Amino acid sequence: MFAVDVGGTFTDVVAVLDGQIHTAKVSTDYRSVHAPVLEGAATLGVSASDVFNHASTHGLNAVITRRLPKIGFLTTEGHRDILDMGQVWRPAHAILNPHWRRGFGDASRPLVPRYLRRGISERITSDGAVLFELDEQQAREHLEVLRACNVQGVAICLINAYVNPRHELRLREIVHEVLGDIACSVSSEVSPLAREYPRASTTVIDTFMKIIYTEYTDSLQKGLADLGFNGQLNFADCAATLVPVGRAMEQPFRIVFSGPSAGTVSSAHFGSLIDESDLLCADVGGTSCDISLVTDGSPFVNTSFELEHDLVVNALANDISAIGAGGGSLVAVGRSGEITVGPGSAGADPGPACYGKGGTDPTTTDTFVMIGIIDPDTFAGGRVNLDKDLSRQAFENLECDFTLPQRVRYAYEVAVQNIAEGLFNVAIKNGVDPRDYSLVAYGAAGPMLLPAVLETLQCKQVIVPPFPGLFSALGLLSADQVYTANRSAYTQLDAAAAPDIDAHYAEMEEQLRQRLNPDIAVTFERSFDGHLVGQSWDTPFVPVPDGKIDGHAVTAMTEAFHDTFQARSGNRFDSVPVEGVTFRVRAVLDTPKVSYQEVAERGDLTLRPVRATKLNYLGDLDSDDQSLLDVPVYDRDSLRRGDVIDGPAIVTEELSTTHVCAGLRARVGRFGELIIRKGAFDED
């Protein structure tokens, strides 16, 4: 099995061959994103694999940076500015700021400029009746304008099309008649759900992804074939479930946020192996720290997510909160002369100052080089040489009154506190006590930064899993293959509604069965999103009984809604009737998953460090020796189950470094994971 996670800084490739996990890490190339994927695949020998699972931030980065193709947007006349208005929400920090502008609005960086958004004369009512027929001649005139503007695709979102798609489907035919074989997405197929703006924004993103990923997918498939791979290529979606590449390209909006979600699934799978079901997951890479939650062994999944504030995509997605805190986060001086870290990043090019690629600003990586946690001679397995003098020069160039030791120390403390605050906010947002959760530290920079947050966050322990630098990629070998169908139909839950609800589920399950090989073992999971009558917002993923939906099943659905609502909000209103909004089916296929090799116990051998090093600036800065600490350095590959390491200490491996801070203790677990706690371990 092969898996690849294309990140903003590095492309991570993992392979399971003959039960052994092999890894490769290649710098991401924005000019040719598929090339590092193929390089890693060639390095690890992809020809012997039956499965290649893929996740990427390629599409996400295109949206964030606005490196997007030119597309047109067709909607019902009078709704041309729906993409500019969004949901008219402001983030908390901008509520009182008169200068704030929506990131995707016409006044800033629109996804589709207003001159490419055209209103079409037609109207379908909320019950699916045709109020005004589609004006085909007017539609053709608007499409001629788009042809003159050289659009590469067209997104179509007509009002109430999720109830009656007739006008959208005819309009798509006209698009192809006028513009030829061009990328075209219609909302009734992409996102047949209520609420016009999220449906429109999702359809626009789908059109972009069709254009962006078509060329990429073709190059990837050809390159893999040239390397001798003839197995199944799967793309991960935003919930890190796997979809065959052909199906994924039918609705590529589902794969726009796949990379960060894979780490959550990897954490949940590994947690199940070590009996840890409540996890705070933190993926600290080069640019950001992606934080998520696993409760009772399951990731927290949303029915939609935001690429930017208020830029909504209607896709099932693991709930990920990203903060600008990673190895490449820039260290700077604030307006009051204070040291700041992030959210800006040096990225892969030019990268941290110590990379010697032209970067002149210090970063978190430079901070760790200065402290001594990162050894410049062994970084990335010795393949990347770091220059400590360039890190020193970058810190010395900061315009502030602090001494050099203070600059480095404060940069370290601010970086740690930024992540601790982000983790605490995620825990509080989801109503959980971090003291009951273990913190999973992964990403190349995670094991360096996250043990230090134990003092502030007070979580149960920090777990550094095997291969932390490529742990998200391993999540793609821990995921299920899933097909999903959903549809919106406002339906009050009572016995009279049972036949309609039963028909919805029967049609969706039949639709999914037609896509599947009849010989494959599959489990259907039903749920619905609903609300109390009169509510504006829905409670998602309410369980639905299997089999025929009759009056008794509807009663069970109503009771399940009240249970789910109470679990999420702490309140219960049994006397208020329930309205179903979106009905959903997931077809889950039995999928092989990665297994981790158990680590042998040490026996009579003595645990010894491979060398010793000195850490700077972590003690008393007023001392004459600038707070030098003598610490042992251990090779992670030589550790054995049950080994205990007292901090301060460093544990090195090829693609990551773990810093066991002073006052902490690490123990090696069953699969080689490092479990880091304050104080002694209980006998367990």
Side-chain angles (χ1 to χ4, degrees), residues 529-556:
D529 305 343
H531 54 224
L532 300 170
V533 170
Q535 271 192 316
S536 298
W537 303 109
D538 302 335
T539 297
F541 305 117
V542 180
V544 175
D546 295 327
K548 184 176 179 59
I549 301 296
D550 54 17
H552 295 293
V554 172
T555 300

Side-chain angles (χ1 to χ4, degrees), residues 368 373 412-413 415-417 420 439 446-458 462 659-662 664 676:
F368 282 109
I373 294 173
Y412 169 76
E413 291 180 343
V416 170
Q417 290 303 314
L439 175 58
M448 288 191 295
L449 277 162
L450 291 168
V453 309
L454 272 175
E455 185 67 36
T456 302
L457 193 63
Q458 299 292 313
V462 172
H659 177 208
V660 184
C661 307
L664 302 182
I676 302 173

Side-chain angles (χ1 to χ4, degrees), residues 72-76 118 120 142-143 146 154-158 171 175:
F73 176 69
L74 303 181
T75 188
T76 304
R118 319 300 292 185
I120 304 299
H142 281 309
L143 288 170
L146 296 181
V154 176
I156 302 173
C157 181
L158 304 181
L171 190 53
V175 167

Side-chain angles (χ1 to χ4, degrees), residues 88-123:
V88 202
W89 294 349
R90 283 173 172 255
H93 67 82
I95 288 176
L96 300 178
N97 181 3
H99 303 291
W100 180 83
R101 294 291 182 271
R102 185 168 282 97
F104 55 84
D106 286 342
S108 50
R109 301 191 303 161
L111 296 174
V112 184
R114 195 170 193 270
Y115 76 96
L116 296 176
R117 306 196 303 259
R118 319 300 292 185
I120 304 299
S121 179
E122 68 83 40
R123 188 59 186 252

Side-chain angles (χ1 to χ4, degrees), residues 9-10 27 285-287 326-331 344-369 374 379 384-388 390-392 394-395 445 448:
T9 305
F10 290 102
S27 293
T287 303
S329 294
L330 295 172
V331 179
S345 173
D349 187 11
C354 58
Y355 279 20
K357 294 182 178 180
T360 57
D361 296 319
T363 65
T364 300
T365 297
D366 294 296
T367 303
F368 282 109
V369 169
I374 291 179
F379 183 74
V384 179
N385 293 320
L386 304 183
D387 191 332
K388 185 175 181 179
L390 292 177
S391 296
R392 177 183 296 275
F395 272 102
M448 288 191 295

Side-chain angles (χ1 to χ4, degrees), residues 280-582:
L280 267 170
C281 313
D283 179 0
V284 189
T287 303
S288 65
C289 174
D290 297 323
I291 304 169
S292 55
L293 197 69
V294 172
T295 299
D296 294 331
S298 299
F300 190 88
V301 180
N302 284 327
T303 57
S304 64
F305 64 96
E306 294 181 339
L307 293 178
E308 300 173 3
H309 170 73
D310 209 17
L311 179 50
V312 181
V313 176
N314 278 338
L316 298 183
N318 292 338
D319 189 26
I320 308 288
S321 298
I323 60 174
S329 294
L330 295 172
V331 179
V333 179
R335 292 183 177 181
S336 301
E338 77 280 12
I339 295 293
T340 65
V341 181
S345 173
D349 187 11
C354 58
Y355 279 20
K357 294 182 178 180
T360 57
D361 296 319
T363 65
T364 300
T365 297
D366 294 296
T367 303
F368 282 109
V369 169
M370 290 293 292
I371 292 173
I373 294 173
I374 291 179
D375 182 357
D377 297 327
T378 61
F379 183 74
R383 295 190 301 273
V384 179
N385 293 320
L386 304 183
D387 191 332
K388 185 175 181 179
D389 290 336
L390 292 177
S391 296
R392 177 183 296 275
Q393 182 178 342
F395 272 102
E396 289 175 343
N397 288 341
L398 291 176
E399 295 183 3
C400 60
D401 295 331
F402 296 122
T403 65
L404 178 63
Q406 289 174 326
R407 297 177 191 197
V408 176
R409 171 70 167 273
Y410 298 158
Y412 169 76
E413 291 180 343
V414 171
V416 170
Q417 290 303 314
N418 285 346
I419 293 179
E421 182 178 351
L423 290 163
F424 187 77
N425 289 341
V426 168
I428 296 303
K429 180 185 76 171
N430 289 282
V432 304
D433 188 338
R435 292 173 296 185
D436 299 330
Y437 280 66
S438 296
L439 175 58
V440 185
Y442 56 101
M448 288 191 295
L449 277 162
L450 291 168
V453 309
L454 272 175
E455 185 67 36
T456 302
L457 193 63
Q458 299 292 313
C459 57
K460 188 168 74 172
Q461 59 194 10
V462 172
I463 300 172
V464 181
F467 309 102
L470 299 101
F471 196 59
S472 288
L474 281 169
L476 300 174
L477 301 178
S478 310
D480 292 312
Q481 189 173 131
V482 178
Y483 294 78
T484 303
N486 52 47
R487 64 179 57 180
S488 283
Y490 285 88
T491 308
Q492 187 164 322
L493 300 189
D494 53 33
D500 288 340
I501 297 174
D502 184 63
H504 292 324
Y505 282 113
E507 291 171 8
M508 288 189 290
E509 289 180 5
E510 180 59 28
Q511 174 187 344
L512 291 174
R513 284 192 182 96
Q514 292 176 359
R515 301 178 191 167
L516 302 175
N517 185 328
D519 298 328
I520 295 179
V522 61
T523 302
F524 286 100
E525 298 176 353
R526 296 175 173 180
S527 66
F528 78 97
D529 305 343
H531 54 224
L532 300 170
V533 170
Q535 271 192 316
S536 298
W537 303 109
D538 302 335
T539 297
F541 305 117
V542 180
V544 175
D546 295 327
K548 184 176 179 59
I549 301 296
D550 54 17
H552 295 293
V554 172
T555 300
M557 291 170 63
T558 304
E559 186 69 18
F561 172 85
H562 291 303
D563 292 342
T564 306
F565 185 89
Q566 183 177 23
R568 284 179 172 257
S569 69
N571 296 301
R572 190 181 184 95
F573 303 96
D574 289 303
S575 61
V576 181
V578 176
E579 187 172 46
V581 177
T582 299

Side-chain angles (χ1 to χ4, degrees), residues 18 56 68 92 121 401 426 433 445 505 623 634 641:
D18 299 325
S56 174
L68 294 169
S121 179
D401 295 331
V426 168
D433 188 338
Y505 282 113
S623 65
Y634 297 90
R641 182 177 177 179

